């Protein structure tokens, strides 16, 4: 069976449009013993970088202090959606603390307007980090719709021993 | 699903999870990076969240160890409900629309039936594999985020 991954990748334009359309991501970090930890954060996308905010008393923030390598995931799968509506991107990189003159005002304002997804009533402060798009994986399942149209259903079911 | 890449960095793959009776399984290609990552280091962390358009975000974090299932274990006739869900992408026993019409609310029936049948074929051939998530920590994310 051919792998499908190469068929489902977003174009650079599709990726940028997708990242502009959302403001919540999942961020993976590593504990000191190398075990994975995962959290959620708000983000904004600007000039090909994803800027996300973490509380400074969070485990994710502490983990980044020890090892700044992260993976941020943005995924769209609405409740009333088809398998082929699923889209997403995984961004790997080193989380760079971004503040002061290195933090454009527009980004600070955009993030300040977004409540934290995990604790929405908490103050909208925290450390802002950013990562780029240099190491990313994306997927858009709409691109593989009808991929089995050249095989008859009964033939596939017979091959699988289901009928 | 969070695993570690070959260089030790974290990676996170969005996954469908198949859960029943306290058991949770993941289904993936045997040639995938996530399968290789788990084979190298079975420590796993998962974040189970509300749907992406749900304004009231909730999430449960599950951390533990991943356990690989052989094709024989996966396709065993007496497999657990969760394994059955995982191996059939929730479509086990459904070979025509009339078997379970409610399942096709958002899917084109023939395409989904094809995907379900091909899944069985791929598991039998070792192309796709199941991993069980064996938890040692399960908590609401907002309870442990600052731990």
């Amino acid at each position: 069976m051919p792998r499908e991954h190469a068929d489902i990748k977003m174009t650079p334009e599709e990726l940028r449009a997708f990242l502009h359309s959302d403001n919540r991501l999942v961020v993976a970090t590593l504990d000191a013993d190398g075990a994975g930890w995962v959290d959620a954060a708000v983000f904004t996308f600007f000039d090909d970088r994803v800027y996300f905010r973490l509380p400074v008393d969070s485990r994710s923030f502490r983990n980044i202090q020890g090892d700044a390598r992260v993976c941020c995931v943005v995924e769209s799968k609405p409740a009333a959606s088809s398998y082929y509506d699923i889209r997403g991107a995984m961004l790997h990189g080193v989380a760079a603390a971004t503040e002061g003159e290195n933090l454009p005002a527009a980004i600070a304002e955009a993030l300040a307007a977004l409540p934290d997804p995990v604790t929405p009533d908490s103050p909208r402060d925290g450390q802002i980090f950013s990562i780029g798009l240099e190491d990313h994986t994306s997927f858009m399942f709409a691109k593989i719709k009808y991929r089995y149209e050249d095989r008859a259903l009964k033939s596939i079911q017979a091959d699988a021993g289901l009928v | 699903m969070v695993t570690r890449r070959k260089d030790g960095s974290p990676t996170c793959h969005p996954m469908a999870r198949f859960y029943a009776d306290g058991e949770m399984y993941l289904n993936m290609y045997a040639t995938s990076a996530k399968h290789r990552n788990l084979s190298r280091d079975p420590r796993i962390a998962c974040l189970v969240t509300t749907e992406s358009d749900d304004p009231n975000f909730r999430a449960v974090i599950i951390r533990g160890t991943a356990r690989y299932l052989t094709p024989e274990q996966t396709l065993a006739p007496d497999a657990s409900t969760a394994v059955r869900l995982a191996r059939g992408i929730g479509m086990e026993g459904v070979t025509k629309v009339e078997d379970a019409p409610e399942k096709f609310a958002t899917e084109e029936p023939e395409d989904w039936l094809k995907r379900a049948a091909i899944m069985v074929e791929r598991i039998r051939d070792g192309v796709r594999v199941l991993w069980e998530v064996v938890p040692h920590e399960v908590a609401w994310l907002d309870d442990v985020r600052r731990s």
Side-chain angles (χ1 to χ4, degrees):
Chain A
M1 284 288 170
R3 285 298 304 279
E4 295 148 348
H5 186 266
D7 297 331
I8 63 174
K9 190 174 180 178
M10 293 184 193
T11 64
E13 295 72 28
E14 288 169 336
L15 177 61
R16 292 188 180 97
F18 175 64
L19 292 175
H20 275 300
S21 73
D22 207 333
N23 56 39
R24 186 175 72 211
L25 58 75
V26 167
V27 55
T29 58
L30 295 174
D31 284 347
D33 65 358
W37 181 255
V38 57
D39 201 341
V42 290
F43 83 95
T44 191
F45 180 62
F46 180 81
D47 198 19
D48 279 3
R49 290 191 72 80
V50 165
Y51 294 82
F52 61 98
R53 184 184 73 217
L54 288 171
V56 296
D57 59 348
S58 66
R59 188 160 172 172
S60 299
F61 177 86
R62 283 202 309 279
N63 285 354
I64 290 173
Q65 305 311 298
D67 184 341
R69 294 176 298 176
V70 300
C71 179
C72 294
V73 175
V74 182
E75 188 192 25
S76 174
K77 186 190 176 301
S81 64
S82 159
Y83 175 79
Y84 297 109
D85 294 324
I86 296 173
R87 299 180 295 164
M90 300 153 54
L91 313 175
H92 298 91
V94 173
T98 309
E99 56 204 357
E101 61 184 30
N102 294 320
L103 179 63
I107 295 171
E109 289 169 10
L111 287 174
L114 297 170
D116 182 87
V118 183
T119 52
D121 296 329
S122 63
R124 298 177 189 182
D125 53 14
Q127 178 63 55
I128 296 172
F129 297 96
S130 69
I131 61 170
L133 304 183
E134 296 83 6
D135 182 359
H136 76 271
T137 301
S138 63
F139 50 92
M140 180 182 276
F141 287 177
K143 295 189 174 186
I144 50 174
K145 201 169 186 180
Y146 308 122
R147 66 192 185 280
Y148 303 125
E149 64 183 350
D150 60 339
R151 293 182 67 188
L153 172 60
K154 287 188 177 177
S155 170
I156 298 172
Q157 290 177 330
D159 289 345
L162 297 174
V163 295
Chain B
M1 176 187 76
V2 178
T3 58
R4 293 185 72 172
R5 300 200 293 183
K6 192 175 181 180
D7 66 359
S9 64
T11 186
C12 185
H13 288 86
M15 302 287 290
R17 90 282 179 271
F18 300 95
Y19 174 81
D21 302 326
E23 297 180 0
M24 190 166 92
Y25 290 86
L26 306 171
N27 182 328
M28 62 191 74
Y29 278 108
T31 54
S32 66
K34 40 190 177 279
H35 175 73
R36 292 197 300 273
N37 292 348
L38 288 174
S39 299
R40 185 185 315 116
D41 181 351
R43 290 179 296 178
I44 191 170
C46 297
L47 195 70
V48 182
T49 72
T50 42
E51 299 289 7
S52 62
D53 60 343
D54 189 332
N56 301 310
F57 178 82
R58 295 301 308 274
V60 169
I61 183 166
I62 303 169
R63 301 214 306 159
T65 305
R67 180 180 74 91
Y68 169 74
L69 271 70
T70 65
E72 292 73 26
Q73 291 172 320
T74 299
L75 296 175
D78 59 349
S80 69
T81 300
V83 170
R84 290 175 177 276
L85 286 172
R87 74 191 187 191
I89 53 172
M91 297 284 285
E92 178 141 345
V94 179
T95 58
K96 53 188 186 301
V97 176
E98 294 75 37
D99 292 338
E102 72 283 357
K103 287 186 178 293
F104 299 98
T106 58
E107 303 283 352
E108 291 186 20
E110 182 158 310
D111 185 81
W112 202 1
L113 288 170
K114 285 183 179 181
R115 283 180 15 230
I118 285 172
M119 182 61 65
V120 174
E121 200 178 49
R122 288 177 171 176
I123 290 172
R124 185 194 61 211
D125 297 341
V127 173
R128 288 195 72 106
V129 296
L130 262 57
W131 285 83
E132 180 184 10
V133 179
V134 182
H136 59 69
E137 177 185 349
V138 182
W140 289 104
L141 178 60
D142 47 351
D143 287 340
V144 296
R145 192 192 205 194
R146 291 172 162 81
S147 63

